[in-house]
Amino acid sequence: MIVVDELRKHFQVHRRPPGLAAAVRSLLRRRYETVKAVDGVSFQIERGERVGFLGPNGAGKTTTLKVLSGLLHPSSGKVTVNGHVPQRREPAFLRGITLVMGQKQQLMWDLPPAETFALNRAIFDVPRARFDATLRELDELLGIGPLATKPTRQLSLGERMKCELTAALLHQPATLFLDEPTIGLDVAMQLSMREFIRAYNQRHEATVLLTSHYMDDVVALCPRVIVIDGGRIIHDGDLKALVKATHPDKLVSFRPTAPVDGDDLARLGRVVRHDAARVVVEVPEDRLREVISHLLATLSVADLGVEDPPLEDVMRKLFKHGAAAPAPDGPAAP
Amino acid sequence: MPDRGVAAARVPYARLLAVQLRTSLLTAMQYRLNFVVEGLMSLYWLGWNLLPLLVLFDTRDSVAGWDYPSALVVIGWFVVLRGILEGAINPSLTDVVERLRTGSFDYVLLKPADAQFLVSTSRFVPWRIVDVCGGIGLIVWAFAMRGAAPAPGDVAAALGLLAAAIMVMYALWILIVCAAFWVVRLDNLAFLLSAVFDAARWPVHVFRGAWRIVFTFVIPLALMTTYPAMALLGTLDGATAAGAVGGALALLGLSRLAWRAALGNYTSASS
């Protein structure tokens, strides 16, 4: 179980205007600014939950994950993960968690991943039989196969990510912090990563806290989302409720079988797309029934459908709101 | 996660060291040509190290009270120590500075083992064993010239002082690495340390006045090569030897404190 209570992490950063003169001045007198990367965040995550952590760049997601995994010491507030205070980095705590960072790697570059696995086995003191069994299980879920014996530098990004995940999970942690685990991967690989994370979560009743730029990852994996912006939580709860509250409009999409007049469409709602192949109109939910009846009665349409707006749009709208109306002492995102 | 109770707190450091050594050996063998080239380079440097000594003693029999074979013993220790520095200390700690810069140091802190141990043993350069063997060869040659073998007690004292010298070098390196937590780029500082270390090829008595004080107490080059050589030659008094070991332990303790302070200050490179 993860408990975060009024977590704050502030950094002192050196700022200077561009240019040589400013650089020379900053040698003599430095100006420091406090950046509130995380500014009073509270939440609880129960064992076995899959939670998506969303927010724009610099919102404080990664900083929070780093505090939760003991890499950064909080400026104030209380954090416990499985009953441990992360910053103490107690071995029992570190054996129970893992942090996977899509943009950093722990695999040794010149050697095959199997050597990193062996090193982690020694560090985590995993008995041989359990190590072999875990490796077999991860192989079955991820399909590493011969990749483990190829030098890391010869692996593709997707292959490397599979091996990174394996290295990070060999000690069978019960809590997974995943920071952009699918970044840079192609769609097929993203899908298999998602399936893997879900399967691991279900098999081990593992807690998963995931950040991703790919909203599809979050939609597919996380029934609950925590949205953070400017170091503060602006939503914590059901993903569907968030979509409904932020962006109550629906997208009505159809293939026209005859040309459609643009003015007619504009009367129905905001036209998102209008070409020969497809028309998409954004319609308030309370007018949905009326608009569809009108469409079917007046136009010649095929394969009509109603969809929720893409989560990207929801987020854009949410963060625009957050930026437009900041809290009284709202921090600038770092 | 299965609760492994008290056993969970124990980390098998000896096995971990063996795995790290094995990994370094495997890495070295990935590049076969490097193995040969580096081995040859080690031999070349061994010869190069002797050149100033040969030039110096070509025209005189003794320098600052050191005759040629005794000075050769100092050079021998210097070569041994440089082999250890470049084989077992420099590579790992240069890696840490790089890891701090790129942020992959995060993965070290996520491991349930002492972070200082993990980073200090992360990389070895096995072919530096050529330097160590070469240095020992020089010492044997020097004693052959003197026509007398060192007493067993003197060998033991010299080995004790070698351990102290390794501790001093390691501690100085750790202090530099700690500075990297704040300033990130440290190539010049590391370069300066190895340039200063080069002066350890000479007996400390060659230096006069302030330099001798600096090289004895500030950057203890005396402790690194002159004292072990003197111990082997049977000319070092017990009090100096004890002081040297005590000083080395104190510096090691200081470096540990600095490391812990640096970890608390770690800000991690952004993702």
Side-chain angles (χ1 to χ4, degrees), chain A:
Chain A
M1 182 177 173
I2 299 169
V3 182
V4 177
D5 185 22
E6 282 297 305
L7 169 67
R8 286 186 167 76
K9 178 67 190 174
H10 297 177
F11 293 102
Q12 290 284 106
V13 294
H14 161 224
R15 291 222 194 258
R16 67 169 171 80
L20 188 61
V24 172
R25 269 200 304 278
S26 86
L27 283 178
L28 301 170
R29 205 171 138 205
R30 296 211 149 197
R31 280 183 45 209
Y32 287 94
E33 236 171 65
T34 301
V35 172
K36 298 172 178 178
V38 178
D39 195 30
V41 160
S42 304
F43 58 84
Q44 278 196 22
I45 299 176
E46 299 296 328
R47 177 157 192 186
E49 267 195 276
R50 293 190 307 267
V51 179
F53 211 21
L54 297 176
N57 287 333
K61 305 183 298 283
T62 301
T63 304
T64 307
L65 285 191
K66 284 181 178 173
V67 170
L68 288 176
S69 47
L71 295 178
L72 296 179
H73 294 209
S75 303
S76 69
K78 271 168 64 178
V79 178
T80 58
V81 175
N82 306 330
H84 297 275
V85 175
Q87 74 191 80
R88 290 189 195 146
R89 297 184 52 246
E90 293 155 335
F93 162 71
L94 293 169
R95 285 173 198 280
I97 65 148
T98 199
L99 170 66
V100 176
M101 294 171 276
Q103 293 177 346
K104 294 178 186 172
Q105 70 165 44
Q106 68 163 323
L107 296 174
M108 289 178 276
W109 188 248
D110 289 319
L111 294 177
E115 299 302 334
T116 305
F117 302 162
L119 182 62
N120 281 1
R121 180 175 97 79
I123 294 174
F124 284 95
D125 196 19
V126 183
R128 166 65 71 184
R130 210 180 93 200
F131 173 81
D132 289 341
T134 311
L135 203 55
R136 266 198 305 277
E137 184 199 331
L138 293 172
D139 182 26
E140 177 198 317
L141 290 171
L142 282 166
I144 315 161
L147 301 179
T149 50
K150 248 167 89 175
T152 302
R153 61 172 192 278
Q154 290 174 8
L155 299 178
S156 72
L157 183 63
E159 292 171 338
R160 218 160 63 213
M161 201 58 220
K162 284 181 175 181
C163 296
E164 283 285 345
L165 269 176
T166 306
L169 296 174
L170 278 171
H171 59 290
Q172 291 199 346
T175 304
L176 276 55
F177 300 118
L178 307 174
D179 190 18
E180 305 280 358
T182 55
I183 199 153
L185 301 184
D186 64 36
V187 179
M189 195 59 83
Q190 278 179 35
L191 273 174
S192 66
M193 283 290 159
R194 269 178 228 152
E195 276 162 27
F196 167 74
I197 293 166
R198 188 199 304 278
Y200 187 89
N201 157 263
Q202 284 165 353
R203 277 194 195 188
H204 298 274
E205 210 200 328
T207 312
V208 177
L209 184 54
L210 165 94
T211 78
S212 179
H213 268 99
Y214 301 111
M215 296 298 173
D216 293 345
D217 284 348
V218 180
V219 174
L221 277 174
C222 305
R224 173 182 167 195
V225 291
I226 296 175
V227 184
I228 182 169
D229 192 15
R232 292 182 173 194
I233 290 182
I234 53 176
H235 173 87
D236 180 356
D238 182 48
L239 184 60
K240 287 198 181 88
L242 172 70
V243 173
K244 200 159 182 173
T246 314
H247 204 319
D249 298 349
K250 297 274 182 188
L251 296 179
V252 176
S253 156
F254 60 89
R255 184 162 58 84
T257 48
V260 184
D261 181 48
D263 292 340
D264 286 349
L265 287 176
R267 274 192 285 279
L268 299 176
R270 190 173 73 84
V271 181
V272 178
R273 177 178 168 183
H274 180 196
D275 53 46
R278 185 145 291 274
V279 174
V280 181
V281 186
E282 195 178 272
V283 180
E285 198 179 9
D286 54 356
R287 285 192 58 214
L288 198 58
R289 186 184 291 267
E290 170 205 339
V291 167
I292 292 173
S293 313
H294 180 78
L295 269 177
L296 294 173
T298 57
L299 297 175
S300 167
V301 302
D303 70 2
L304 182 137
V306 179
E307 295 160 14
D308 277 327
L311 200 51
E312 276 85 355
D313 287 355
V314 177
M315 289 297 135
R316 209 172 297 131
K317 204 163 168 182
L318 195 65
F319 299 139
K320 213 155 66 186
H321 273 287
D329 56 344

